[in-house]
Amino acid sequence: MSTARQGPLLLGVRHHGPGSARAVRAALDEARPAAVLIEGPPEGDALLELAADPGMRPPVALLAHAADDPGRAAFWPLADFSPEWVAIRWAQEAGVPVRFMDLPAAHSLAAAGEPDPDRAESDTVRLDPLAVLAGTAGYDDPERWWEDVVEHRGTGGAGEEALGAFEALGEAMGALRETYGDGGHHRDLVREAYMRQRMRAARREFGDGYAVVCGAWHVPALRAKTTVAADKALLTGLAKVKVETTWVPWTHRRLARAGGYGAGITSPGWYAHLFSARDRPVERWLTKVAGLLREEDRQVSSAHVIEAVRLAETLAAMRGRPLPGLTETLESVRAVMCDGSDIPLALIEDRLVVGDVLGEVPDGAPVVPLQRDLTRQQRSLRLKAEAQERELELDLRKDTDAAKSLLLHRLRLLGIGWGTPTASRSSTGTFRETWRLRWEPELSVRVAEAGIWGTTVLAAATARAEADAAAAEELGEVTELAEKCLLAGLSEALPAVLRALADRAALDTDVARLAKALPALARSLRYGDVRATDATALGAVAAGLAERICVALPPACAAGLDADAAAELRGHVDGVHAAVGLLADADDGLRERWSAVLRTLADRDTVPGVIRGRAARLLLDDGRLEAGETARLMGLALSPAAPPADAAGWIEGFAGGSSGGGTLLVHDDRLLGLIDTWLVGVPERAFTDVLPLLRRTFGAYEPGVKRTLGELVRRGPAASAQAARATGSAPEGFAPDLDPERADAVTELVRMLLASPDGVAAA
């Protein structure tokens, strides 16, 4: 058949189709072409030899980015089951030339910022060729049609059969191109003109004895008789940029259409299985499913697997399908192994149908120096890049864990979000850090972008921090940057950051911005204890900032604030209070000065209620406000003369659900009685206005606290308190005095907690 063929061998494929991949290998084995052209950017030709390296393990992607703008990048992903990858490996094994033939990335990246002609008209509809062919064949699902006619053809048949299948698919695409033209894919016309030029060059070198592996949609255009002049006209005047290329690891998840990949597929994990399982694919697949469910402690036996296979085959026969497809296998799994539940089925779809397989690229692949340093540190610290999300617990007292923390923080400062800090579930000590790690292929682009800052992670992060400090316009940006520098151990960047911090702090008069900046500085001053980083240079700046806040906060809170501004300042009061607690060790008088500010805020009736209430609560918690004085302040705030909205704000500030206010009210009948009395007396029209605020305050309480408060209110807290005082007893459920025997029972446990490393850290 190969001798009778007119022109080159055109193999129109579906990108990432295992059936197409098997058919490509069979067709190439049959035709034995002298060269192979692959759809892809010619800039990658020099990298093709790396495909034969033992260290290259798909899925991988060819990455091209603009040399002067690494963020302008494009990927060409390839998996084991991609026809293009199979063609590349066949050519290398056969010892024949293999080259890319698509429009150069230099042109496509230059056009990346230009309007897309495919979407220039609002009524343009881009044709889905597979959907049209599936509909013509009577299918409502293109994926199911493709499985039936291509993926379920066993091993692809003999070479003659494979060549016939490609010929038939090419004819079908030809009919579509005759009917729909470019189908709304206007840029394809330029790409196809360049492909024809590459084919002419191959013909001059190899005659017609070469093969082309490309998307089936392009086959009719590559067969069309066009002139050299016409193709040159389409390519004249194209913009161009300098491009750098390399191979990067890819993932099955990024091959999925749901990830936004235009040529994506719905089930890369399933397709990988079909490609690797040369016989009994359904039985092997359901065995994998059973293994996964067993790992999740579900009772699945071999009998379940046998029954699921039978059900899948029965469903396929009833629907007239040659073999069970993904739909039939998942339906059988849901019925037989998952007891009809969608919850374990969702796990199967995530882990096996899509999957988190991450490819590998050999060390010989060209990379920016920053990537090389990052790879070295990853290996040294045994921080393996993985596609599946995982948690990493670090103990900063250990040298290796501290080094991992520094690396992850430096990468975050560079915009390389490999790790995300998260709350620890096992410890709250300051020596602990918990990270959520997941390596995404796009991070390779971020590394290339960050390469402009330096050749090592440390040098690049230092330069980036200094540049960010110089460019920062607000005080909060610089304080956050100072915190990041200390977390990342960037001692050389700190002088520049501190100069910028001092300059902006001296000029900023907005108390809200000052208050927002102080907590980050206070936290930064604590890092020296954990990371052996000298943060004392921040002390003078933090002290000056705290003094300015103490002076400026009371006037700012009495300036006729609206509800939103008052709520924002209330949050800043909390932040400053926490910061003062951290800074007080270095400045004994600071705590006293701050307490005086809180007392001023609590006493002034011109201050919004939410701030007055919060100030009173903070003073009470610090032991600087007696219970009687607290009741007096609440009584004034909730008096009939107080506007209901302001009174409700006072309650929110004092007893907000996240501050333990519910527990306080449970144990203080007098305060609960004041709130109850006020609430009963709120006028009907005003009650409607304050109800959302009250619901937000009390709705955040724990269920047990809400039940107890409801019971106390039902009985009447004032009456209960009066009865308790008269009889010397306590309300039901509470003893009148502390029980020494029960209290002593916990002392040993407390002693053990304080003696443990985590306990010391937490304390």
Side-chain angles (χ1 to χ4, degrees), residues 449-530:
E449 286 182 303
I452 64 174
W453 297 106
T455 58
T456 67
V457 175
L458 175 59
T462 299
R464 174 68 184 269
E466 292 173 345
D468 287 351
E473 296 181 356
E474 294 188 1
L475 177 62
E477 296 177 39
V478 190
T479 55
E480 290 177 9
L481 182 60
E483 186 175 11
K484 291 177 181 178
C485 286
L486 289 167
L487 286 167
L490 303 180
S491 56
E492 293 186 7
L494 272 178
V497 175
L498 289 176
R499 284 195 300 271
L501 180 60
D503 292 344
R504 284 156 183 77
L507 297 175
D508 205 322
T509 58
D510 189 322
V511 69
R513 286 202 292 266
L514 296 175
K516 184 178 179 181
L518 184 61
L521 287 179
R523 289 192 302 268
S524 299
L525 286 169
R526 307 289 289 186
Y527 295 149
D529 297 335
V530 181

Side-chain angles (χ1 to χ4, degrees), residues 75 101 500 591 743 748:
F75 297 96
M101 63 176 295
R591 194 185 298 275
E748 183 62 28

Side-chain angles (χ1 to χ4, degrees), residues 679-690:
L679 190 58
V680 172
V682 174
E684 182 177 352
R685 279 184 287 183
F687 184 81
T688 304
D689 295 333
V690 302

